[in-house]
Amino acid sequence: MKQTIKRAAVLGSGVMGTGIAAHLANVGIPTIMLDIAPRELTNDEEKKGLTLEDRAVRNRIAAQSKKALLKQKPSPITSKSSLDLIEIGNMDDDMEKLSDVDWIIEVVVENLDIKKKVFANVDKYRKEGTVVSSNTSGISVEDMAADRSEDFQKHFLGTHFFNPARYLKLLEVIPTKNTDPEVLAFMKTFGEDVLGKGVVEAKDTPNFIANRIGTYGLLVTVQEMLKGGYSVGEVDSVTGPMIGRPKSATFRTLDVVGLDTFIHVAKNVYDQVDGKEKEVFDVPEFLLKMQENGWLGAKSGQGFFLKKKDKNGSTIYELNPETLEYEDRKKLKTAATEMAKQEKGTRRKLKALVSAKGDKASDLVWSISKPALIYSAELLSEIADDIVSIDQAMRWGFGWELGPFEMWDAIGVRKSVERMQEEGETVPKWVLKLLEDGNETFYKTENGNVYYYDNGEYKQQTFNKKEINLKRLKDVNGVIKSNAGASLIDLGDGVAGLEFHSKSNAIGLDTMQMVNYALEEVDKNYRGLVIGNQGKNFSVGANLALMLFEAQDDNFFELDMVVKQFQNVGMNIKYSNKPVVAAPFNMALGGGAEVSLPAAAIQASAETYMGLVEFGVGLIPGGGGTKELYLKQLRNLPKGVNFDLTKVANDVFEKVATAKVSTSAAEARENGYLNSQDGISVNPDHLLHDAKQKVLALANAGYQAPKREKVPVVGDSGYAAMLMGAKALQMSGYASDYDVKIAEKLAYVLSGGRIKEGTLVDEQVLLDLEREAFLSLIGEPKTQQRMQHMLVKGKPLRN
């Protein structure tokens, strides 16, 4: 029987259970979430005269957990509509509903006996062929299924999601000796293609791959801090982005995860290993004391760091592990950290940092990296089949930019092994063999293919066909044309790709030149164009610093020319003879949204934060964003139905005036930035492939450029209505006098000027109004103050 998953069930509605149910709902899978039926009434239930037999009481735990999804930050749901796909119930009354699902995920308490009881019950109700999995983070998957039916065992495996399930990419899949290989292959493909995860196959060992190595690395860091006399803040200042780790570094990460969770994970390994490894997993005394005090991190309000508010704002203090008192936060600034800051890219920064022997920061990074690298190499065949799985698990589960073997390549395998041996360390034999055979790295790239070292030879790494890697593509095919802001690349199959690569992918003159060149080249030689990249964000907008500099120098003629050029870029994209598909992801703000909106279609990553945010810096969109958002909303309205034009204008006015940014692509669709023809890619690695397929589909359908359109506007009466809304906000204290001034300009643009409601105007009229408003505002001292504040502080100024 061909495996499919159309409906799912989640057993357990704690933080992890609800997170998984929410993620399933986010990708459109109806999910039943069950928890235990309460044994006692709450005071509120007693007051209402309810009994333990009432359905509302029996489903209370799952109901409260579902409701809590709306309040959690960051939000586990991509849209409130996701909640409609989560049905609740309890494990006493609703187990028969399991016969109607294709996948049952157990997320109950981490206790083998309890899990076995749950699975015995599941086995009674599931239909043949239903996949059953456990989200355990460390209990033996083999042991859980030991007494179950043959069909259950064939369809059973571990599926370890990382928390929060929506945002963390890693999904560890752990088969047992009885798992059907076809079921395993299906779940790996399903995890990647439907759930959007980075799937790694792990072996059934304590804490699997990422938690085993990640917890080891964190404990080694704690122990080295105590041994070397470093402070909590000093450690965090060098174990974050400087070495390719998240901003939360070491101790801030532990505060976010929760000390109780971390200690539980560490204890799980401690109980199952021996010797030197056991010593590392023996949690230091001061951590146990912190747990006893309830200093668990973010969830308890204090942990390794404590935020205190005073009249000057907030100050963050760090914990002294010796005294258990909070002190001023310290940073480690040495010659090595300054040298690393000068280097470009994580690999070079890491190498510079590790190489400066005798430097306090360098010695710390070396002393925590060395054991983690050796440990990863020692565990290779025990926890995973190859180095790729380990590196991917650490990148996707812990947010490391480089996995352990990629780190080792970056710092130099031969030199670092020599240093390890000089320091009396035992390096695994297979690593020594790699060097004896004359090899220098664990990975190598040839002709765009990646090879990894495995059992004395290099094997080619395989990638999902839906994964387009721009760097590898450029290495093989080269670049059609490039400048400082963007490059034009051949994506294959007659489709070109335009990649932004300026700082923060901000849009400047060089980027605009490349867009225009790309459109001309595509018109002559290609079937269509994808505008996308693989930077940190799609684009944070236009180059704010450059615009402020020009405005302060009174270069309004040049500013007018730049804005006009950007407007022309938008119109060129819109009226291109060949289909243009924008592929936004992460932040697509201001100019990033303005490049996307006029495209023939948008293929957005599920995590796309899109909005016209210019109001926050005292401006209104100048590159056609207001006009295009308004038009997109008009086009979304059903044909032949009378609609209220003022309502559409007011809606766009409100979104632009509040600088509203979507919290997902699903919300961007609700906000009118995407329409029903636009697509959403759940797996970010598949985004460019999906956008390319959209270009080909449009081309194959005989794409024709749209006809130039006349736009109905709300005129005088609509202008008055929008202004009234802004003044109401001012009177309520939500808008300053200057906010109202900007809102007046925005209302004037959207209304099409002082004309009659319903008048049809050419798009150029709205573009000219946008540009005039933009230029008049950028000359205002208060707008310049707002721009300056955003550039320096990174947040909006209310003036």
Side-chain angles (χ1 to χ4, degrees), residues 721-756:
M722 286 183 266
L723 216 50
M724 203 158 66
K727 294 211 164 143
L729 284 172
Q730 182 189 24
M731 287 164 75
S732 315
Y734 292 110
S736 68
D737 292 349
Y738 194 61
D739 289 332
V740 173
K741 182 170 184 171
I742 307 165
E744 278 177 27
K745 303 268 185 188
L746 176 61
Y748 191 72
V749 172
L750 266 170
S751 64
R754 309 306 298 271
I755 52 178
K756 192 178 166 209

Short mmCIF file of all heavy atoms in Angstrom, two decimals, residues 721-756:
data_model
loop_
_atom_site.label_atom_id
_atom_site.label_comp_id
_atom_site.label_asym_id
_atom_site.label_seq_id
_atom_site.Cartn_x
_atom_site.Cartn_y
_atom_site.Cartn_z
N ALA A 721 -11.79 60.46 4.71
CA ALA A 721 -12.03 59.30 5.59
C ALA A 721 -10.72 58.77 6.17
O ALA A 721 -10.63 58.47 7.36
CB ALA A 721 -12.73 58.19 4.80
N MET A 722 -9.68 58.70 5.32
CA MET A 722 -8.38 58.21 5.80
C MET A 722 -7.78 59.15 6.84
O MET A 722 -7.26 58.73 7.86
CB MET A 722 -7.41 58.03 4.63
CG MET A 722 -7.73 56.81 3.77
SD MET A 722 -6.54 56.54 2.45
CE MET A 722 -7.29 57.39 1.08
N LEU A 723 -7.93 60.44 6.57
CA LEU A 723 -7.38 61.44 7.48
C LEU A 723 -8.08 61.41 8.83
O LEU A 723 -7.46 61.57 9.89
CB LEU A 723 -7.52 62.83 6.86
CG LEU A 723 -6.36 63.79 7.14
CD1 LEU A 723 -5.04 63.14 6.83
CD2 LEU A 723 -6.54 65.06 6.34
N MET A 724 -9.38 61.16 8.78
CA MET A 724 -10.15 61.09 10.02
C MET A 724 -9.63 59.94 10.90
O MET A 724 -9.50 60.08 12.11
CB MET A 724 -11.63 60.86 9.67
CG MET A 724 -12.57 61.30 10.77
SD MET A 724 -14.21 61.61 10.11
CE MET A 724 -14.73 59.98 9.59
N GLY A 725 -9.30 58.83 10.24
CA GLY A 725 -8.76 57.68 10.98
C GLY A 725 -7.44 58.03 11.66
O GLY A 725 -7.21 57.67 12.81
N ALA A 726 -6.58 58.76 10.94
CA ALA A 726 -5.28 59.15 11.50
C ALA A 726 -5.46 60.08 12.69
O ALA A 726 -4.79 59.97 13.71
CB ALA A 726 -4.43 59.81 10.42
N LYS A 727 -6.42 61.03 12.56
CA LYS A 727 -6.64 62.00 13.65
C LYS A 727 -7.24 61.32 14.87
O LYS A 727 -6.97 61.71 16.02
CB LYS A 727 -7.52 63.14 13.15
CG LYS A 727 -6.78 63.95 12.06
CD LYS A 727 -7.16 65.40 12.04
CE LYS A 727 -6.12 66.20 11.26
NZ LYS A 727 -6.65 67.27 10.47
N ALA A 728 -8.05 60.28 14.64
CA ALA A 728 -8.63 59.53 15.77
C ALA A 728 -7.50 58.85 16.56
O ALA A 728 -7.51 58.84 17.79
CB ALA A 728 -9.62 58.48 15.26
N LEU A 729 -6.51 58.32 15.84
CA LEU A 729 -5.36 57.69 16.51
C LEU A 729 -4.55 58.73 17.29
O LEU A 729 -4.07 58.47 18.39
CB LEU A 729 -4.45 57.01 15.47
CG LEU A 729 -4.93 55.68 14.90
CD1 LEU A 729 -4.02 55.23 13.77
CD2 LEU A 729 -4.95 54.60 15.98
N GLN A 730 -4.45 59.93 16.72
CA GLN A 730 -3.73 61.02 17.39
C GLN A 730 -4.43 61.40 18.70
O GLN A 730 -3.79 61.54 19.74
CB GLN A 730 -3.65 62.23 16.46
CG GLN A 730 -2.87 63.41 17.04
CD GLN A 730 -3.00 64.65 16.17
OE1 GLN A 730 -3.97 64.78 15.43
NE2 GLN A 730 -2.03 65.54 16.26
N MET A 731 -5.74 61.51 18.63
CA MET A 731 -6.51 61.89 19.83
C MET A 731 -6.44 60.80 20.91
O MET A 731 -6.51 61.08 22.10
CB MET A 731 -7.97 62.17 19.45
CG MET A 731 -8.11 63.50 18.70
SD MET A 731 -9.69 63.66 17.85
CE MET A 731 -10.77 63.98 19.22
N SER A 732 -6.27 59.54 20.48
CA SER A 732 -6.17 58.44 21.46
C SER A 732 -4.74 58.29 21.98
O SER A 732 -4.46 57.41 22.80
CB SER A 732 -6.57 57.11 20.82
OG SER A 732 -7.73 57.25 20.06
N GLY A 733 -3.83 59.10 21.48
CA GLY A 733 -2.44 59.04 21.95
C GLY A 733 -1.57 58.02 21.23
O GLY A 733 -0.45 57.75 21.63
N TYR A 734 -2.11 57.43 20.14
CA TYR A 734 -1.35 56.42 19.40
C TYR A 734 -0.55 57.01 18.25
O TYR A 734 0.23 56.31 17.62
CB TYR A 734 -2.29 55.34 18.85
CG TYR A 734 -2.91 54.48 19.92
CD1 TYR A 734 -4.26 54.57 20.23
CD2 TYR A 734 -2.12 53.58 20.65
CE1 TYR A 734 -4.83 53.79 21.23
CE2 TYR A 734 -2.68 52.79 21.64
CZ TYR A 734 -4.04 52.90 21.93
OH TYR A 734 -4.59 52.13 22.92
N ALA A 735 -0.76 58.28 17.94
CA ALA A 735 -0.04 58.90 16.83
C ALA A 735 0.39 60.30 17.23
O ALA A 735 -0.36 61.04 17.88
CB ALA A 735 -0.94 58.96 15.59
N SER A 736 1.62 60.68 16.85
CA SER A 736 2.12 62.03 17.16
C SER A 736 1.65 63.00 16.06
O SER A 736 1.12 62.57 15.03
CB SER A 736 3.65 62.00 17.20
OG SER A 736 4.17 61.75 15.90
N ASP A 737 1.88 64.30 16.29
CA ASP A 737 1.53 65.31 15.28
C ASP A 737 2.23 65.00 13.97
O ASP A 737 1.66 65.14 12.88
CB ASP A 737 1.95 66.71 15.75
CG ASP A 737 1.11 67.18 16.93
OD1 ASP A 737 0.10 66.52 17.23
OD2 ASP A 737 1.47 68.20 17.54
N TYR A 738 3.49 64.55 14.09
CA TYR A 738 4.26 64.29 12.87
C TYR A 738 3.75 63.03 12.16
O TYR A 738 3.76 62.97 10.93
CB TYR A 738 5.77 64.18 13.17
CG TYR A 738 6.59 64.26 11.90
CD1 TYR A 738 6.55 65.41 11.10
CD2 TYR A 738 7.38 63.21 11.47
CE1 TYR A 738 7.26 65.49 9.91
CE2 TYR A 738 8.11 63.28 10.29
CZ TYR A 738 8.04 64.44 9.51
OH TYR A 738 8.74 64.52 8.33
N ASP A 739 3.30 62.04 12.93
CA ASP A 739 2.69 60.85 12.32
C ASP A 739 1.51 61.26 11.44
O ASP A 739 1.31 60.73 10.35
CB ASP A 739 2.20 59.86 13.39
CG ASP A 739 3.34 59.16 14.11
OD1 ASP A 739 4.40 58.99 13.51
OD2 ASP A 739 3.15 58.78 15.29
N VAL A 740 0.72 62.22 11.95
CA VAL A 740 -0.46 62.67 11.20
C VAL A 740 -0.03 63.38 9.91
O VAL A 740 -0.65 63.21 8.86
CB VAL A 740 -1.36 63.58 12.07
CG1 VAL A 740 -2.50 64.18 11.26
CG2 VAL A 740 -1.93 62.79 13.25
N LYS A 741 1.08 64.12 10.01
CA LYS A 741 1.58 64.82 8.82
C LYS A 741 1.96 63.80 7.72
O LYS A 741 1.64 63.98 6.54
CB LYS A 741 2.80 65.68 9.18
CG LYS A 741 3.34 66.46 8.00
CD LYS A 741 4.37 67.48 8.42
CE LYS A 741 4.81 68.29 7.20
NZ LYS A 741 5.63 69.43 7.54
N ILE A 742 2.65 62.71 8.14
CA ILE A 742 3.04 61.67 7.18
C ILE A 742 1.77 60.99 6.63
O ILE A 742 1.66 60.71 5.43
CB ILE A 742 3.96 60.61 7.82
CG1 ILE A 742 5.16 61.25 8.52
CG2 ILE A 742 4.48 59.62 6.77
CD1 ILE A 742 5.90 60.33 9.48
N ALA A 743 0.81 60.75 7.54
CA ALA A 743 -0.44 60.08 7.15
C ALA A 743 -1.20 60.92 6.11
O ALA A 743 -1.81 60.37 5.18
CB ALA A 743 -1.31 59.84 8.38
N GLU A 744 -1.15 62.24 6.24
CA GLU A 744 -1.81 63.13 5.26
C GLU A 744 -1.24 62.89 3.87
O GLU A 744 -1.96 62.82 2.87
CB GLU A 744 -1.59 64.60 5.65
CG GLU A 744 -2.55 65.10 6.70
CD GLU A 744 -2.24 66.55 7.10
OE1 GLU A 744 -1.68 67.30 6.26
OE2 GLU A 744 -2.55 66.92 8.24
N LYS A 745 0.10 62.80 3.82
CA LYS A 745 0.77 62.58 2.52
C LYS A 745 0.36 61.23 1.93
O LYS A 745 0.10 61.11 0.73
CB LYS A 745 2.30 62.60 2.70
CG LYS A 745 2.84 63.87 3.32
CD LYS A 745 3.21 64.87 2.26
CE LYS A 745 3.88 66.09 2.87
NZ LYS A 745 4.06 67.15 1.88
N LEU A 746 0.32 60.20 2.80
CA LEU A 746 -0.04 58.87 2.35
C LEU A 746 -1.48 58.85 1.83
O LEU A 746 -1.78 58.26 0.78
CB LEU A 746 0.13 57.86 3.51
CG LEU A 746 -0.30 56.42 3.24
CD1 LEU A 746 0.51 55.79 2.10
CD2 LEU A 746 -0.16 55.57 4.51
N ALA A 747 -2.38 59.49 2.58
CA ALA A 747 -3.80 59.54 2.19
C ALA A 747 -3.96 60.24 0.83
O ALA A 747 -4.76 59.82 0.00
CB ALA A 747 -4.61 60.26 3.26
N TYR A 748 -3.16 61.29 0.62
CA TYR A 748 -3.24 62.05 -0.63
C TYR A 748 -2.83 61.16 -1.81
O TYR A 748 -3.47 61.18 -2.87
CB TYR A 748 -2.33 63.28 -0.54
CG TYR A 748 -2.53 64.26 -1.68
CD1 TYR A 748 -3.69 65.05 -1.74
CD2 TYR A 748 -1.58 64.39 -2.69
CE1 TYR A 748 -3.88 65.94 -2.79
CE2 TYR A 748 -1.76 65.28 -3.73
CZ TYR A 748 -2.92 66.06 -3.79
OH TYR A 748 -3.12 66.94 -4.83
N VAL A 749 -1.77 60.35 -1.60
CA VAL A 749 -1.30 59.44 -2.66
C VAL A 749 -2.38 58.42 -2.98
O VAL A 749 -2.75 58.21 -4.14
CB VAL A 749 0.01 58.72 -2.24
CG1 VAL A 749 0.38 57.63 -3.24
CG2 VAL A 749 1.15 59.71 -2.10
N LEU A 750 -2.90 57.76 -1.94
CA LEU A 750 -3.88 56.69 -2.15
C LEU A 750 -5.19 57.19 -2.74
O LEU A 750 -5.88 56.46 -3.45
CB LEU A 750 -4.17 55.99 -0.81
CG LEU A 750 -3.34 54.73 -0.52
CD1 LEU A 750 -3.54 54.29 0.92
CD2 LEU A 750 -3.69 53.60 -1.47
N SER A 751 -5.53 58.45 -2.43
CA SER A 751 -6.81 58.99 -2.94
C SER A 751 -6.68 59.44 -4.39
O SER A 751 -7.69 59.76 -5.04
CB SER A 751 -7.27 60.15 -2.06
OG SER A 751 -6.33 61.21 -2.15
N GLY A 752 -5.43 59.50 -4.91
CA GLY A 752 -5.23 59.91 -6.30
C GLY A 752 -5.25 61.42 -6.48
O GLY A 752 -5.33 61.92 -7.60
N GLY A 753 -5.19 62.16 -5.37
CA GLY A 753 -5.22 63.64 -5.45
C GLY A 753 -6.62 64.16 -5.22
O GLY A 753 -7.55 63.41 -4.88
N ARG A 754 -6.80 65.44 -5.41
CA ARG A 754 -8.10 66.09 -5.15
C ARG A 754 -9.03 65.90 -6.34
O ARG A 754 -9.26 66.81 -7.12
CB ARG A 754 -7.91 67.57 -4.82
CG ARG A 754 -6.87 67.87 -3.74
CD ARG A 754 -7.12 67.12 -2.45
NE ARG A 754 -8.39 67.45 -1.82
CZ ARG A 754 -8.56 68.44 -0.94
NH1 ARG A 754 -7.53 69.17 -0.57
NH2 ARG A 754 -9.74 68.69 -0.42
N ILE A 755 -9.54 64.68 -6.48
CA ILE A 755 -10.45 64.39 -7.60
C ILE A 755 -11.67 63.63 -7.09
O ILE A 755 -11.76 63.29 -5.92
CB ILE A 755 -9.73 63.58 -8.72
CG1 ILE A 755 -9.06 62.34 -8.13
CG2 ILE A 755 -8.73 64.41 -9.47
CD1 ILE A 755 -8.38 61.46 -9.16
N LYS A 756 -12.57 63.35 -8.00
CA LYS A 756 -13.84 62.72 -7.64
C LYS A 756 -13.64 61.21 -7.40
O LYS A 756 -12.87 60.55 -8.09
CB LYS A 756 -14.83 62.93 -8.80
CG LYS A 756 -16.27 62.60 -8.48
CD LYS A 756 -17.15 62.88 -9.69
CE LYS A 756 -18.50 62.22 -9.45
NZ LYS A 756 -19.16 61.85 -10.67
#
